[in-house]
Amino acid sequence: MIRKADLFLSGNRSTDPFGARYLYQFYGTESESNLTGAGTPDLDKEIHAASQISDASKQTAQANAIERKELSQYAFLPLFSGPSIYAVKKGLANVGATIFATPLPETVGWQK
């Protein structure tokens, strides 16, 4: 993939309620989803190590530390956290627009 651009806008939102599942997909040096081409092999190793942490809060803390390192390369410039818009059938419970939360899959279902 050729990664030559002065600036482009894109959006990303993790839908993983269990931690940092998509960290490599977004920041990994070999990932096709890393449109900027930023990252380093050392950060790739850190991402892979974080994916092996079983405690969700510790994994999230480590992922946040890795993301700060990735952002310090200035390849990504977070502009805003915009709204999420969903349309679902009437009666579906515990799913919808969120910004900083993702419902657990086991809590989504149909109202009785």
Side-chain angles (χ1 to χ4, degrees):
M1 171 187 292
I2 298 174
R3 294 177 170 134
K4 294 182 179 182
D6 291 330
L7 175 72
F8 64 90
L9 296 176
S10 68
N12 184 56
R13 178 173 181 260
S14 175
T15 57
D16 175 28
F18 303 112
R21 181 176 180 183
Y22 301 109
L23 196 62
Y24 184 81
Q25 183 178 359
F26 194 63
Y27 294 117
T29 56
E30 299 295 322
S31 172
E32 289 186 18
S33 297
N34 179 353
L35 301 176
T36 67
T40 67
D42 288 336
L43 285 171
D44 287 350
K45 289 178 188 175
E46 288 187 45
I47 291 169
H48 292 306
S51 71
Q52 300 302 311
I53 298 171
S54 60
D55 181 279
S57 61
K58 290 179 181 178
Q59 185 186 57
T60 299
Q62 185 62 29
N64 286 338
I66 293 167
E67 187 165 48
R68 281 190 292 277
K69 291 178 184 180
E70 292 282 0
L71 292 174
S72 72
Q73 296 181 34
Y74 299 102
F76 300 94
L77 178 61
L79 298 176
F80 58 87
S81 182
S84 298
I85 300 170
Y86 287 81
V88 298
K89 291 184 177 184
K90 185 176 180 177
L92 189 59
N94 297 328
V95 68
T98 61
I99 293 180
F100 299 113
T102 300
L104 295 171
E106 60 268 23
T107 64
V108 176
W110 295 101
Q111 296 175 357
K112 291 183 179 182

